Amino acid sequence: ASGGISGVIAFYALQFPRARLVTMIRIGPLFRWVRLEAYVGFILWIALQAVGIFLQTGGLSLVSSLAHVGGAAFGVVFWLATRR
């Protein structure tokens, strides 16, 4: 299921790259609301998945980041097939 959601994330970021996202991040003990555009959020998300793949292939994580990236790849392909 997380791979499917990753596909939706990729499609949304490519379809609406300037859409504004609001997310909460933690910096030490503080929490902050951050606004960023969808394409920036997607790039950061892909970077996190790259770290996850490194941990997964090293046997240090049980999260399937490879499935997330596979789902995102499908979202990109779907966006390419349906764009105007």
Side-chain angles (χ1 to χ4, degrees), residues 12-24:
Y12 182 85
L14 293 170
Q15 188 71 23
F16 308 106
R18 299 285 181 202
R20 302 292 285 178
L21 305 175
V22 180
T23 187
M24 183 179 282

Side-chain angles (χ1 to χ4, degrees), residues 4-63:
I5 293 169
S6 299
V8 172
I9 290 170
F11 181 83
Y12 182 85
L14 293 170
Q15 188 71 23
F16 308 106
R18 299 285 181 202
R20 302 292 285 178
L21 305 175
V22 180
T23 187
M24 183 179 282
I25 62 169
R26 180 177 176 192
I27 303 171
L30 303 175
F31 289 89
R32 290 277 219 213
W33 287 103
V34 177
R35 294 179 192 268
L36 41 104
E37 293 181 343
Y39 79 92
V40 174
F42 184 60
I43 290 169
L44 293 173
W45 181 82
I46 289 293
L48 286 173
Q49 297 313 307
V51 171
I53 289 171
F54 176 75
L55 294 173
Q56 178 186 354
T57 56
L60 301 172
S61 174
L62 298 176
V63 175

